[in-house]
Amino acid sequence: MTTAPATTAASTGTLPAAVLWDMDGTLVDTEPYWIAAEHELVDAHGGTWSHEQALQLVGNSLPASARILQAAGVRLGEAEIVEFLLDRVVASVRTHVPWRPGARELLRTVADAGVPCALVTMSYRRFAAEVVAQTDGALRVVVTGDDVAHGKPHPEAYLTAAERLGVPIDECVAIEDSPTGIASALASGARTLGVEAVVPVPPQPGLSRARSLEQVSLRTLAQLHAGHVIDLT
């Protein structure tokens, strides 16, 4: 699928009012960093941690993940666990930001078309800032896990992003990768695109799907905004 020129697509008036981007697994492939940090922490406390358990944390808020790690044998408080994970992942990202295929290019194309973009992530601001710094100002608003009272799958984070941008949530397109994040975006009322990364994205009513952001163009986003449900898998 080819990407329509930004000026032509924007002039049709069919682009969404905003695009709301998840971060881990959607813009950047940082889930392996989180999983490695989880293994290190559980091992240090004499527990066991499987890949299957790690996948259950994908998309969760950090406090929710901390509670699951406590149940796996980590003898630290929630805040201590969160800080340990953040320290490890921030250090990894400072060495290398692993962009998802097509993510950086699509983000730039959308921003250049005049569509406001927001980051909506359950990671905390000090980690998100490392990624945002490499987006050349494409992200106008950043909503992180430490900004909201209710993490995904609650819709608060997406509703907050739309409110900060000053746009109706049902005029936005949200891009997600995890079942937890997809549930949050759909519950908010945003048109939602699920792009598979670490965990499968099964079909469900109202959810559009793609194998990769390399398949997604301005025309795709306009179709989603118009109410079409698209399956590019």
Side-chain angles (χ1 to χ4, degrees), residues 11-50:
S11 67
T12 67
T14 58
L15 289 173
V19 176
L20 314 177
W21 304 77
D22 173 54
M23 186 173 71
D24 297 296
T26 299
L27 277 177
V28 290
D29 188 16
T30 48
E31 295 298 353
Y33 293 166
W34 291 105
I35 291 172
E38 294 156 16
H39 276 285
E40 179 185 349
L41 183 58
V42 174
D43 289 348
H45 286 260
T48 59
W49 190 245
S50 69

Side-chain angles (χ1 to χ4, degrees), residues 5-141:
T7 53
T8 302
S11 67
T12 67
T14 58
L15 289 173
V19 176
L20 314 177
W21 304 77
D22 173 54
M23 186 173 71
D24 297 296
T26 299
L27 277 177
V28 290
D29 188 16
T30 48
E31 295 298 353
Y33 293 166
W34 291 105
I35 291 172
E38 294 156 16
H39 276 285
E40 179 185 349
L41 183 58
V42 174
D43 289 348
H45 286 260
T48 59
W49 190 245
S50 69
H51 185 66
E52 289 70 28
Q53 287 173 298
L55 293 182
Q56 293 175 11
L57 269 59
V58 173
N60 281 2
S61 68
L62 284 171
S65 295
R67 290 190 291 272
I68 294 171
L69 289 165
Q70 286 174 329
V74 176
R75 299 179 300 279
L76 295 174
E78 283 184 25
E80 292 175 291
I81 293 173
V82 167
E83 289 305 308
F84 177 91
L85 297 176
L86 283 170
D87 285 344
R88 293 298 189 271
V89 177
V90 167
S92 296
V93 166
R94 284 177 177 166
T95 301
H96 173 63
V97 176
W99 292 95
R100 294 287 297 164
R104 202 171 192 179
E105 295 81 2
L106 181 61
L107 176 62
R108 186 73 265 160
T109 297
V110 172
D112 287 346
V115 178
C117 291
L119 190 70
V120 183
T121 177
M122 289 299 92
S123 293
Y124 283 12
R125 188 164 294 271
R126 72 179 177 95
F127 169 44
E130 301 291 334
V131 176
V132 172
Q134 298 197 36
T135 63
D136 300 321
L139 294 160
R140 297 191 191 179
V141 161

Side-chain angles (χ1 to χ4, degrees), residues 99-190:
W99 292 95
R100 294 287 297 164
R104 202 171 192 179
E105 295 81 2
L106 181 61
L107 176 62
R108 186 73 265 160
T109 297
V110 172
D112 287 346
V115 178
C117 291
L119 190 70
V120 183
T121 177
M122 289 299 92
S123 293
Y124 283 12
R125 188 164 294 271
R126 72 179 177 95
F127 169 44
E130 301 291 334
V131 176
V132 172
Q134 298 197 36
T135 63
D136 300 321
L139 294 160
R140 297 191 191 179
V141 161
V142 177
V143 178
T144 59
D146 43 347
D147 289 337
V148 297
H150 305 287
K152 299 174 185 178
H154 194 281
E156 180 185 352
Y158 277 103
L159 293 171
T160 300
E163 181 181 4
R164 290 181 181 177
L165 286 170
V167 297
I169 189 64
D170 59 0
E171 294 290 319
C172 298
V173 170
I175 304 178
E176 273 282 358
D177 71 293
S178 70
T180 302
I182 288 168
S184 172
L186 288 172
S188 76

